[in-house]
Amino acid sequence: MNVKIITDSSCDLPNDYYKDYDIDMVPLTVHVNDQDYRDVKDIESKTVYDAMKKGAVPKTSQASPENFLQVFSSYVEQSQPVVYVGFSSELSGTFQSAKIAQQQVLEEHPDAEVFVEDTKCASLGQGLVVLKAAQMAENGEAAEDIIKTVQFHASHMEHIFTVDNLEYLQRGGRVSKAAAFFGGLLNIKPLLHVEEGQLVPLEKIRGAKKAKVLKRMFEVMEERGNEINRQTIAISHGDDLETAEKLASIIKEKYQPEKILIGDIGSAIGAHAGPGTIALFFLNDLYK
């Protein structure tokens, strides 16, 4: 049997990708307006963004070990190798839940092939790594080769993003109160990235014009990216498809990537990043 690729809802892949590439997905939980929902399966991100615009403060919970145990066991019982490609352990306890489930499965089935990989990525940065793993699995490649490629792609995945309002990240403890306060006061647009799985400020851009921010995001991609025309580039957005498409057109104007994947930032990440977030993902090196 081919290797089964499993991920979680923080990867933000469009829904049809799960079916098309035979990927299983374990959802995180979103708490909004006193209700709990399974991310992607029970609630759409737009519902969360609309609630946030009306003042709601959604929260999220990691996927539980029990969730992973159920999914892992279903494939192990069919003697199918499993590779879980997960959300950054620096941003969620979801990966640790997967580790606990892995240990439980291996205690009961010592010969089972169950691998869990911490991508240190988020949103479509994680999604691109998952997609590469799924394509390899579809081609019948071995778990060891898939894991090696996952580790390379994860370690070379760039996340360049901006948010409309730093307050959302501050609420979730992702930036300091001071940074959120001064960001709003001085009309500063933050440019952030991911370093060792954590959100890290990259630059401050004065002025709220999106065109200026998109131009700088494109410039950073040119500075850091490698062989952009040979890559699948990804752009995720918080209920702002128009801006995501503008960024895609800027990239297409100079480069012709193999593909530009545009998708929504799902509820699990959107609950912290907020509406208006725009994120760009690409590799700074290609796997030879």
Side-chain angles (χ1 to χ4, degrees):
M1 290 177 118
N2 287 5
V3 175
K4 183 68 180 185
I5 302 302
I6 300 171
T7 188
D8 55 71
S9 61
S10 296
C11 76
D12 288 346
L13 284 171
N15 283 339
D16 55 352
Y17 277 67
Y18 297 118
K19 181 179 179 181
D20 293 347
Y21 291 93
D22 194 27
I23 301 165
D24 205 337
M25 183 271 288
V26 178
L28 279 73
T29 298
V30 182
H31 315 269
V32 59
N33 293 333
D34 299 320
Q35 295 288 326
D36 288 351
Y37 303 91
R38 292 178 303 167
D39 185 23
V40 177
K41 297 191 175 185
D42 297 334
I43 193 168
E44 295 182 353
S45 57
K46 181 165 176 45
T47 302
V48 176
Y49 292 127
D50 288 345
M52 294 175 82
K53 290 172 185 176
K54 293 177 182 177
V57 184
K59 297 181 180 180
T60 59
S61 297
Q62 66 198 53
S64 71
E66 291 74 24
N67 295 149
F68 283 106
L69 183 60
Q70 182 179 0
V71 174
F72 290 170
S73 297
S74 67
Y75 297 106
V76 166
E77 288 167 3
Q78 302 173 58
S79 300
Q80 187 167 10
V82 167
V83 175
Y84 164 67
V85 183
F87 185 27
S88 171
S89 61
E90 297 292 334
L91 297 174
S92 170
T94 294
F95 179 76
Q96 186 58 34
S97 290
K99 286 290 290 184
I100 293 170
Q102 177 199 35
Q103 291 166 2
Q104 290 180 309
V105 169
L106 293 178
E107 285 174 6
E108 296 180 15
H109 306 274
D111 296 329
E113 294 182 87
V114 180
F115 307 94
V116 296
E117 291 296 321
D118 181 1
T119 64
K120 299 292 178 74
C121 297
S123 190
L124 281 177
Q126 176 188 347
L128 287 178
V129 181
V130 172
L131 182 57
K132 181 64 178 178
Q135 290 167 339
M136 293 179 71
E138 189 176 52
N139 291 333
E141 300 199 38
E144 292 77 9
D145 294 327
I146 293 173
I147 290 166
K148 190 182 297 184
T149 302
V150 162
Q151 291 172 345
F152 181 91
H153 277 244
S155 65
H156 291 281
M157 186 63 65
E158 294 281 356
H159 305 56
I160 307 299
F161 67 103
T162 187
V163 296
D164 251 6
N165 191 336
L166 275 167
E167 182 182 351
Y168 296 119
L169 286 175
Q170 181 264 313
R171 284 176 183 170
R174 298 309 196 266
V175 296
S176 70
K177 291 183 179 180
F181 175 77
F182 287 115
L185 183 66
L186 301 176
N187 200 23
I188 287 172
K189 277 287 189 184
L191 211 57
L192 304 100
H193 69 141
V194 171
E195 199 172 89
E196 291 299 315
Q198 297 183 333
L199 306 187
V200 179
L202 185 62
E203 297 178 7
K204 291 182 179 180
I205 302 173
R206 292 189 179 278
K209 290 186 178 179
K210 285 186 176 178
K212 185 177 181 181
V213 178
L214 297 185
K215 180 175 180 291
R216 184 57 192 144
M217 292 176 74
F218 173 74
E219 290 171 350
V220 173
M221 184 189 74
E222 287 197 297
E223 293 164 5
R224 296 187 172 197
N226 182 34
E227 297 186 77
I228 295 166
N229 60 313
R230 291 182 54 207
Q231 296 192 39
T232 293
I233 305 296
I235 300 169
S236 60
H237 64 92
D239 196 25
D240 193 354
L241 178 59
E242 181 181 353
T243 300
E245 289 179 336
K246 284 180 182 177
L247 180 56
S249 68
I250 292 170
I251 295 169
K252 288 178 183 177
E253 189 175 335
K254 185 167 182 181
Y255 299 97
Q256 292 296 322
E258 289 187 355
K259 183 175 183 177
I260 297 182
L261 170 58
I262 298 177
D264 298 325
I265 296 175
S267 304
I269 292 178
H272 300 284
T277 300
I278 298 292
L280 173 63
F281 309 93
F282 56 92
L283 291 170
N284 58 34
D285 196 8
L286 298 191
Y287 193 71
K288 306 301 182 185

